Amino acid sequence: MARTMGDPAKRYKFVARIKFWRRSRVGSDITLGVLKYKMTSKQPQHFQFAKIKAFMRRALKDNYNYSGTFQEAIKPVLIIAQIFALMPVRGIGSKFAEDLTFAWSSFRTYYALAMMISFGITAGYIVAFLTNVSFDFDSVETMMFYGSIFLISISFLQLARRWPAIAQEWQAVEAKLPPLRLAKERRSLAHHIKMITLVATTCSLVEHLLSMTSTVTFAVACPHWPAHPIDNFLYFNFATVFHFVEYTTFLGLLGKVINVLSTFAWNFNDIFVMAVSVALASRFRQLNDYMQREARTATTVEYWMHCRINFRNLCKLCQVVDDGISAITLLCFSNNLYFICGKILKSMQTKPSASHTMYFWFSLSYLLGRTLILSLYSSSINDESKRPLRIFRLVPREYWCDELKRFSEEVHMDTVALTGMKFFRLTRGVVISVAGTIVTYELILLQFNKEETTAFTC
């Protein structure tokens, strides 16, 4: 090397190579691509294909690299929400809560406001139909449906304004928790929420397709315009509104869009509460698993103090989240309770066609299953918050300390759970309460119900 550096000609060539290597290292991919293109000008397509393959590999790798954060896991839920004109928050594709913002002057907000107004106008027409034309159970059910959708859209718009602050609070609490060690643990929450979203959205789609089938059956049996089947379907889909407004094909299509968005938004309400409940419960479980691994070993006062601080942070986070979504939670359970009672009451009636029968029983089964799963997921937060009491029993006597006693008293005295605007707490007992309420109301309603055969009334 000394002889090489002593020769001026060889030293010049060596320095030139070093400079070229440095430029190639710090240069952009475009500059490097141009060099490669010049070297292989006879086969330029190979370089292009190589860059496309490299980009796809990076994209796929990023898709399967999970950090385990809530912001990462909730992303598909928020994307679906914005498709259905809910949660107009910007930056939902980012993995960092600091990128989330809400602005009134954005397309998402304009879209959400437009649909919210549409839901409100539709509910107003149905109220007018009830008061002026026909006051019956089916019309009241339709009014409750669109009225609840209008309230849901308002609640999600209010939540969207607070969501960036909630997400940042969540991110700060997550950063202080014990880290997730395995890749399986980091992707568990995201996969769980994706499965909830996929199954619930698929069932909602099947339910809506069956509803459309029953509407088509009615439109064929009782056509308003015999030579226009599509117009018949669109007319009967929004018949209460078209009692006051003259039907046109454009208004029929607009009514169908409103109907589709309202149906999926109604189902999404439960999906969102389930996703948030699963995420909160997973954070309590993360801390509990960490304490359980160390419970039988030699622990210190500082260790339990650190765990207690994390537990208090999670309790405060649950309260912050509950303040943001308690109205949505109340709408979830009140809607489900009302429609379950109504559908069970109508189960005594003989349906006019096979399509109506399939739609009714699938809708009732899906509604019952969704309400049960929602109750269990929501109550899992309270279950995980009480789990430290079982973990404390594993601590050896010689490592019991005043800090651990204080921690145990806090867990025992506090009730950590989501609420429905403070009217009720979502604990495991709420499942029995909901079931008892349904049975009570059904026994009352059945006394005034007579078995009927519902036929097509044209």
Side-chain angles (χ1 to χ4, degrees):
M1 178 63 69
R3 288 194 299 270
T4 303
M5 297 303 292
D7 188 348
K10 292 183 178 180
R11 184 170 66 251
Y12 175 78
K13 291 181 180 179
F14 180 78
V15 172
R17 289 173 182 172
I18 291 295
K19 289 182 177 179
F20 174 76
W21 178 79
R22 286 177 177 171
R23 285 196 300 268
S24 66
R25 291 285 291 179
V26 301
S28 65
D29 292 339
I30 297 175
T31 304
L32 187 60
V34 171
L35 291 173
K36 290 182 178 180
Y37 177 78
K38 290 180 178 179
M39 293 172 63
T40 59
S41 58
K42 294 182 179 180
Q43 294 178 341
Q45 294 182 352
H46 292 175
F47 168 69
Q48 297 295 336
F49 288 138
K51 284 186 70 70
I52 292 173
K53 289 180 181 178
F55 173 78
M56 293 301 295
R57 282 197 298 268
R58 287 196 299 272
L60 292 173
K61 184 178 180 181
D62 291 340
N63 289 339
Y64 289 96
N65 280 341
Y66 292 97
S67 59
T69 62
F70 170 71
Q71 176 64 20
E72 179 184 57
I74 202 67
K75 180 172 71 173
V77 179
L78 297 181
I79 292 173
I80 292 178
Q82 294 192 355
I83 294 174
F84 301 140
L86 303 173
M87 285 292 285
V89 180
R90 296 188 296 185
I92 59 174
S94 174
K95 293 185 178 181
F96 303 101
E98 293 84 0
D99 297 332
L100 295 175
T101 58
F102 173 83
W104 288 104
S105 58
S106 69
F107 173 76
R108 295 176 176 86
T109 307
Y110 295 150
Y111 176 45
L113 288 172
M115 296 314 302
M116 182 178 69
I117 294 171
S118 300
F119 297 149
I121 293 173
T122 304
Y125 275 118
I126 296 173
V127 171
F129 185 86
L130 278 172
T131 56
N132 298 321
V133 181
S134 173
F135 190 90
D136 55 14
F137 188 82
D138 290 336
S139 299
V140 171
E141 189 178 68
T142 306
M143 185 271 293
M144 289 294 296
F145 175 75
Y146 282 102
S148 64
I149 295 300
F150 178 61
L151 294 176
I152 287 170
S153 61
I154 294 176
S155 300
F156 271 105
L157 183 62
Q158 293 177 341
L159 177 61
R161 299 173 61 188
R162 305 173 61 178
W163 188 253
I166 293 174
Q168 291 178 26
E169 176 74 15
W170 197 312
Q171 183 175 269
V173 172
E174 281 182 332
K176 299 176 183 178
L177 291 175
L180 298 170
R181 300 179 299 174
L182 303 177
K184 180 181 179 181
E185 295 175 343
R186 290 193 293 271
R187 66 173 177 264
S188 174
L189 177 61
H191 283 184
H192 196 171
I193 291 178
K194 283 180 181 178
M195 287 305 300
I196 291 172
T197 307
L198 177 63
V199 172
T201 306
T202 303
C203 291
S204 178
L205 177 61
V206 173
E207 180 188 28
H208 190 69
L209 291 175
L210 290 174
S211 173
M212 290 175 61
T213 304
S214 63
T215 305
V216 169
T217 303
F218 181 81
V220 170
C222 303
H224 193 73
W225 300 287
H228 300 84
I230 296 178
D231 287 326
N232 284 325
F233 169 74
L234 296 176
Y235 176 84
F236 286 118
N237 186 73
F238 238 48
T240 52
V241 175
F242 292 131
H243 181 82
F244 301 97
V245 180
E246 185 178 357
Y247 172 83
T248 63
T249 304
F250 172 76
L251 290 179
L253 292 172
L254 180 60
K256 186 57 189 174
V257 170
I258 293 173
N259 177 252
V260 170
L261 291 177
S262 60
T263 301
F264 280 91
W266 183 64
N267 288 277
F268 174 81
N269 200 25
D270 289 13
I271 295 173
F272 182 79
V273 176
M274 281 190 275
V276 172
S277 300
V278 167
L280 278 172
S282 71
R283 292 300 165 247
F284 279 101
R285 190 179 304 113
Q286 180 180 345
L287 178 61
N288 291 335
D289 292 343
Y290 172 70
M291 291 191 296
Q292 188 164 7
R293 288 195 299 267
E294 305 293 333
R296 289 188 173 90
T297 63
T299 53
T300 63
V301 175
E302 289 76 16
Y303 170 80
W304 290 113
M305 183 180 297
H306 178 68
C307 291
R308 186 175 68 85
I309 291 172
N310 278 328
F311 183 82
R312 295 310 312 165
N313 289 337
L314 287 172
C315 293
K316 291 177 183 177
L317 175 64
C318 185
Q319 184 175 0
V320 169
V321 173
D322 180 62
D323 290 340
I325 71 168
S326 59
I328 296 173
T329 306
L330 178 63
L331 287 170
C332 275
F333 281 88
S334 58
N335 277 336
N336 291 345
L337 184 62
Y338 174 82
F339 284 102
I340 286 173
C341 290
K343 286 184 178 296
I344 292 178
L345 181 65
K346 292 168 70 174
S347 66
M348 305 297 176
Q349 301 173 350
T350 303
K351 305 300 177 290
S353 67
S355 60
H356 284 78
T357 303
M358 290 178 59
Y359 163 66
F360 176 83
W361 288 109
F362 181 85
S363 179
L364 177 59
S365 302
Y366 173 48
L367 184 57
L368 287 170
R370 192 181 69 197
T371 305
L372 176 62
I373 294 172
L374 173 64
S375 302
L376 293 176
Y377 277 146
S378 302
S379 64
S380 64
I381 300 173
N382 181 257
D383 294 342
E384 289 293 335
S385 71
K386 296 299 182 184
R387 185 180 156 201
L389 294 175
R390 300 196 300 270
I391 297 173
F392 297 155
R393 299 190 185 103
L394 304 176
V395 179
R397 184 186 299 271
E398 57 269 23
Y399 300 116
W400 192 266
C401 57
D402 291 339
E403 183 64 29
L404 188 55
K405 180 181 179 182
R406 186 181 299 110
F407 193 179
S408 177
E409 289 175 351
E410 288 183 4
V411 175
H412 179 71
M413 296 299 294
D414 290 350
T415 303
V416 182
L418 297 179
T419 67
M421 294 192 72
K422 315 302 180 185
F423 288 112
F424 55 88
R425 296 182 182 274
L426 297 179
T427 61
R428 194 164 288 271
V430 77
V431 181
I432 305 301
S433 300
V434 170
T437 304
I438 292 173
V439 171
T440 302
Y441 277 101
E442 285 303 317
L443 290 176
I444 296 173
L445 291 172
L446 287 174
Q447 296 178 8
F448 301 97
N449 182 64
K450 296 180 181 180
E451 185 175 355
E452 299 176 359
T453 300
T454 305
F456 291 129
T457 304
C458 301

